[in-house]
Amino acid sequence: MKLLVLGNGAREHALVWKIKQSVRIKEIYAVPGNAGTASIARNINLSSSDVDAIVKKAKELAIDLVVVGPEAPLAAGIVDQLQAAGIPVFGPTKAAAQLESSKVFSRELMQKHGIPCAAGRYFTDYSEAKSFLKSHKLPVVVKADGLAAGKGVTVTNSMEDALKALDSIMETRVFGTAGDRVIIEECLVGKEVSLLAFTDGETAIPMVPACDYKRVFDRDEGPNTGGMGSYSPPGFFGADMSQHILTTVIQPTIDAMRKNGTPYKGVLYTGLIMTAKGPMVLEYNARFGDPETQAILPRLKTDIVDIMLAVVNGSLNKMNIQWNNDACVGVVMASGGYPGKYKTGFPITVSNKLDKDVTVFYAGAKKMDDGQILTDGGRVLTVTATGKTMKEARDKVYRNIVHVNFEGCHYRKDIASREVN
Ligand code: AMP
Ligand code: GLY
């Protein structure tokens, strides 16, 4: 089979790495890919937002399956266009991807179907939103409706900051049309976990749970980022919790989407918070999470291409998905200055001393013709390690990360530390 993976993050490098282990695979292409995919697949230099060019290329190459990594092409309808061109594709349609691309859509769906989420309301009118917000108790959460690259949510104890957030979404329009509507909701308290599931629109099978770290500095200080690290499994996530979330959140969501006339296929990512009243949904994503995927896929034993084909063909109920019992920790190395301004073009060196079970998944990194790898983005790579215990995996990742270097690099030192202390 020939597969094409869309995207250029460490998530996509991890996907290509896993897909390459499949016995079914003859050729893998990455669009546009990065230094990591360049070493194990063929990169094609097209923008992942150039839907027409990607459909044309996939036809030309007679691709058997396209796997979509990021949310933007999903929200732009790439799945619908590939399907119309007769090309099998792993991912939800534009209508189904609204679970991620519109927080108002997902909130309405959750409320209608009794799926647990924060109490709140959405507004299209700025002054109505403002007067509701002014009378809301603190802390409060203000969210832009649409895609905002992870920056559209403000959780705050200060009414002044909440009003500023509302103003920048609806008046200054910092997120453009993503701020046409705004959600104001209660602040939930608890540990956060990401539970992703494969689904063919009827059956859903959860993956192993993972946690990610959004803030740039240790102890969750500093601004939000695209994700600075992840680990799987979280110790606080009980053995029967996955089944509980499948029953109360994931399956009702999939069933609601089907009844809604927008059947959902691909990976459904649920971002959950474990409150005193049970797990509640913070957000859905319509795709694999980044950096969770880098800590989840090393634990997958089943051939991922078999799973993807079962999703596309609607036969997931016949799949038995197996995971290993290892712990996995992924630590993101970022460019100096990230998530603010940073420079690129620095050589990345990886010593040949890396232990077995340690993998470097590249993100903002490009491979030059002479083989040298240069930094090319904010989050540059994820170093992952697996071990029999979380302590072993964590010790291994930090023992090895010092063998990966580039000028100005920084990373968090506390990924998974709460699991071992
Ligand atoms: P979202 O993009 O909706 O997941 O929000 C980003 C982050 O904001 C989440 O991972 C949570 O840490 C936080 N957050 C979102 N909604 C809430 C809420 N209702 N209560 C507390 N924290 C929240
Ligand atoms: N880790 C959060 C996300 O993928 O959006």
Side-chain angles (χ1 to χ4, degrees), residues 11 71 100 150 194 196 211-214 225-227 229-230 269 283-285 287-293 379:
R11 163 184 57 204
E71 62 275 23
E100 173 168 6
S194 309
L196 287 64
C211 288
D212 71 342
Y213 289 78
K214 291 195 167 77
T225 68
S230 59
Y269 169 126
E283 65 165 338
Y284 294 108
N285 289 323
R287 51 175 173 78
F288 285 97
D290 190 339
E292 289 93 331
T293 301
R379 290 189 304 152

Side-chain angles (χ1 to χ4, degrees), residues 4 18 32 34 160 295 382 387:
L4 187 155
K18 197 71 205 176
N34 57 33
E160 195 188 333
T382 309

Side-chain angles (χ1 to χ4, degrees), residues 98-155:
Q98 284 181 96
L99 270 186
E100 173 168 6
S101 64
S102 169
K103 289 185 190 294
V104 170
F105 175 89
S106 56
R107 160 167 283 283
E108 297 273 276
L109 184 112
M110 287 188 277
Q111 283 183 334
K112 184 166 165 203
H113 295 274
I115 298 165
C117 64
R121 279 181 57 186
Y122 82 86
F123 296 89
T124 47
D125 181 78
Y126 175 64
S127 49
E128 272 179 38
K130 195 170 173 179
S131 63
F132 179 80
L133 178 57
K134 277 183 166 165
S135 62
H136 200 288
K137 71 173 190 314
L138 292 170
V140 65
V141 183
V142 181
K143 300 184 173 185
D145 172 45
L147 294 180
K151 299 190 180 80
V153 176
T154 299
V155 182

Side-chain angles (χ1 to χ4, degrees), residues 114-120 137 186-191 241 244-245 248-249 272-281:
I115 298 165
C117 64
K137 71 173 190 314
E186 66 170 333
C187 181
L188 299 171
V189 181
K191 288 186 171 134
M241 191 44 85
H244 177 72
I245 294 167
T248 56
V249 173
L272 303 150
I273 186 158
M274 314 304 271
T275 72
K277 290 188 197 150
M280 294 196 169
V281 179

Side-chain angles (χ1 to χ4, degrees), residues 96-411:
Q98 284 181 96
L99 270 186
E100 173 168 6
S101 64
S102 169
K103 289 185 190 294
V104 170
F105 175 89
S106 56
R107 160 167 283 283
E108 297 273 276
L109 184 112
M110 287 188 277
Q111 283 183 334
K112 184 166 165 203
H113 295 274
I115 298 165
C117 64
R121 279 181 57 186
Y122 82 86
F123 296 89
T124 47
D125 181 78
Y126 175 64
S127 49
E128 272 179 38
K130 195 170 173 179
S131 63
F132 179 80
L133 178 57
K134 277 183 166 165
S135 62
H136 200 288
K137 71 173 190 314
L138 292 170
V140 65
V141 183
V142 181
K143 300 184 173 185
D145 172 45
L147 294 180
K151 299 190 180 80
V153 176
T154 299
V155 182
T156 180
N157 237 322
S158 144
M159 187 50 73
E160 195 188 333
D161 289 352
L163 287 164
K164 261 191 214 152
L166 177 66
D167 192 81
S168 68
I169 294 169
M170 293 195 101
E171 288 285 279
T172 325
R173 295 287 174 147
V174 291
F175 307 117
T177 53
D180 284 352
R181 297 186 288 184
V182 76
I183 289 169
I184 298 170
E185 67 184 30
E186 66 170 333
C187 181
L188 299 171
V189 181
K191 288 186 171 134
E192 286 184 40
V193 65
S194 309
L195 188 64
L196 287 64
F198 292 106
T199 177
D200 62 2
E202 298 227 2
T203 302
I205 305 181
M207 302 185 202
V208 286
C211 288
D212 71 342
Y213 289 78
K214 291 195 167 77
R215 303 273 178 172
V216 66
F217 299 128
D218 286 13
R219 294 179 298 279
D220 288 332
E221 284 170 14
N224 267 332
T225 68
M228 293 301 285
S230 59
Y231 69 88
S232 172
F236 62 82
F237 196 87
D240 45 4
M241 191 44 85
S242 198
Q243 188 57 41
H244 177 72
I245 294 167
L246 178 64
T247 312
T248 56
V249 173
I250 296 175
Q251 194 64 52
T253 305
I254 298 303
D255 293 344
M257 290 298 279
R258 206 175 49 251
K259 284 180 204 141
N260 195 38
T262 51
Y264 189 100
K265 283 184 172 213
V267 167
L268 178 67
Y269 169 126
T270 55
L272 303 150
I273 186 158
M274 314 304 271
T275 72
K277 290 188 197 150
M280 294 196 169
V281 179
L282 289 175
E283 65 165 338
Y284 294 108
N285 289 323
R287 51 175 173 78
F288 285 97
D290 190 339
E292 289 93 331
T293 301
Q294 296 91 295
I296 290 173
L297 291 186
R299 301 191 55 206
L300 178 60
K301 290 208 289 195
T302 307
D303 186 324
I304 195 169
V305 178
D306 285 346
I307 304 173
M308 288 173 162
L309 290 175
V311 163
V312 172
N313 299 330
S315 55
L316 200 59
N317 60 346
K318 300 199 181 73
M319 281 302 296
N320 175 14
I321 301 181
Q322 303 274 339
W323 303 88
N324 65 40
N325 290 322
D326 289 350
C328 187
V329 179
V331 180
V332 171
M333 286 183 98
S335 292
Y338 174 83
K341 277 197 184 135
Y342 56 84
K343 289 188 182 147
T344 59
F346 299 113
I348 304 170
T349 55
V350 181
S351 106
N352 53 15
K353 288 190 203 131
L354 293 192
D355 288 332
K356 193 176 142 284
D357 302 331
V358 174
T359 314
V360 176
F361 292 122
Y362 288 98
K366 64 178 173 193
K367 195 168 184 178
M368 309 308 286
D369 290 341
D370 63 2
Q372 194 171 48
I373 297 180
L374 302 180
T375 66
D376 192 34
R379 290 189 304 152
V380 173
L381 54 88
T382 309
V383 181
T384 68
T386 53
K388 291 292 158 223
T389 62
M390 191 57 76
K391 178 163 180 0
E392 188 189 322
R394 187 180 134 71
D395 287 350
K396 202 183 286 177
V397 85
Y398 282 111
R399 202 167 59 234
N400 281 273
I401 202 165
V402 295
H403 298 310
V404 183
N405 270 300
F406 52 89
E407 195 176 314
C409 68
H410 66 98
Y411 57 90

